[in-house]
Amino acid sequence: MAARIIIERLEFYGRCGVTEEERRKPQLIAVDLELDAAVEPAGLSDRLDDTIDYARVADRVVALGASRTCQLLETLAEQLVDMLFAEFPVTHLRMWIRKLHAPLAMVAGSVGVRFERTRSAPPPTQPMPLPFLVEQLGRIPKGHILDVAAGRGRNTLYLLSQGSQVEAIDRDAEALAELGAAAKVRHLSGLTTRVLDLEADPDRPPSLGQACYDAVIVSYYLHRPLFPSLIDALKPNGMLIYETFTIDNYFRHRHPRRWEFCLAPNELLRLTSPLRVLHYDEGEHDGGQGSGPSYTVRLVAQKAGPETT
C-alpha cells in the first residue's frame, strides 16, 4: 500500500547563488515535499517504524541544505533528491524549492523550481559506516578529517554526508578511485584522496603532517609505529577515533590471520598515552560489515589544547 508524506514550507538558510556575493550570505530557502513510499499501513500498527519519519526527513533536509554551497537551486535540489532516495523508502517525490527573498527588485514573491522524480531502480548498496563512528559523531568536529587506511571509504562517505572535509589515504589506488566515484555519484563534496603506503618503511612511518586535522579516524587497521604520526597530525583539541581487533578475536575467531595485527589488553591506552581519553572499552562489538560481532577495542581521545592563562 502506498503512503504519501507531505511536508509544507520547510525552511532553512542556505548558500545558493550564481554570484559569489549571493553565496557569501545565507538566504532563506523553503522546500515543499510530497513523498510516496511503499510501506505498510502504519495506522493499523501505530508504529513509527512502519512509515516514513517526517521529523527525520525534515532534519536531514535542513542539515544537508544548510551545509552545501552551490550556484543553482537545481544542484541543491538534486543533492536533496539523492539523499531522500538513499536514506528513506521513497519511490516517488515532488519537490518545490525556492528562495523566499530573491535578490531581484522586480520580484515581490519567491523564485524557485518544481519537479518530480521517480526511483527508476533499486538504490545502490550503501556502505555502512563504522557503528562506533556513528555513535561518537557528536564529539567529532566537522572540520578537516583524516581517514587512515580508508579503503573504499565507508567512513569517509558518511563523514562527507555530514558536512565534513575529509582526506582519505590508502595504499590501494583503485580503492581510492572507487571512493572518488562513489562520492561524485552521491554529489558529496569536500573529498581529497592520497595514495600512501603507511608501511613502506617499517622503521620510519611517513609523516601525516603537523597539527593538520581536527580529527583522525582509524578503523580495523593497526601499524604500531604509526601512532606518533597520528598524534602529531592532530590539531590542538583534535580527536582520535580508533577501533580495531583485540587479541581475543584472534583466539576466538582466528581473525585476523596473524596475532600481531591485534591489540593486547590496554595496549591502545599505552600507544595513545599523550592524549586525554574520552571513551575506552574492550569487548564484543558490531563492526557494521555484515560479518557479525567481533572483539575490538574502541577509543576516543583528545589532544591537549593551548594552555589558558
Side-chain angles (χ1 to χ4, degrees), residues 227-248:
F227 276 89
S229 296
L230 297 176
I231 294 170
D232 288 344
L234 288 171
K235 294 179 181 179
N237 296 316
M239 299 284 187
L240 174 65
I241 296 87
Y242 205 111
E243 179 172 6
T244 197
F245 297 110
T246 65
I247 195 66
D248 288 338

Side-chain angles (χ1 to χ4, degrees), residues 67 141-146 159-160 163-167 189-192 213-214:
S67 67
K142 287 188 178 179
H144 192 195
I145 298 178
L146 177 67
L159 291 167
L160 291 172
S164 294
Q165 304 286 315
V166 186
E167 181 177 352
S189 60
L191 172 67
T192 58
Y213 303 99
D214 296 286

Side-chain angles (χ1 to χ4, degrees), residues 154 220 245 249 253 255 284-295:
R154 62 175 182 147
Y220 296 99
F245 297 110
N249 204 70
H253 302 304
H255 182 76
E284 193 174 27
H285 304 115
D286 179 13
Q289 302 184 85
S291 57
S294 54
Y295 289 87

Side-chain angles (χ1 to χ4, degrees), residues 129-130 132-134 136-137 139-141 144-150 154-156 158-159 164-169 198 208 213-221 226 230 234 239-243 299-300:
L130 185 71
F132 182 55
L133 176 63
V134 178
Q136 298 296 324
L137 183 64
R139 281 177 161 155
I140 303 173
H144 192 195
I145 298 178
L146 177 67
D147 188 0
V148 176
R154 62 175 182 147
N155 295 327
T156 293
Y158 174 71
L159 291 167
S164 294
Q165 304 286 315
V166 186
E167 181 177 352
I169 60 173
L198 298 168
L208 301 176
Y213 303 99
D214 296 286
V216 173
I217 313 296
V218 187
S219 66
Y220 296 99
Y221 174 75
L226 188 64
L230 297 176
L234 288 171
M239 299 284 187
L240 174 65
I241 296 87
Y242 205 111
E243 179 172 6
L299 169 86
V300 179

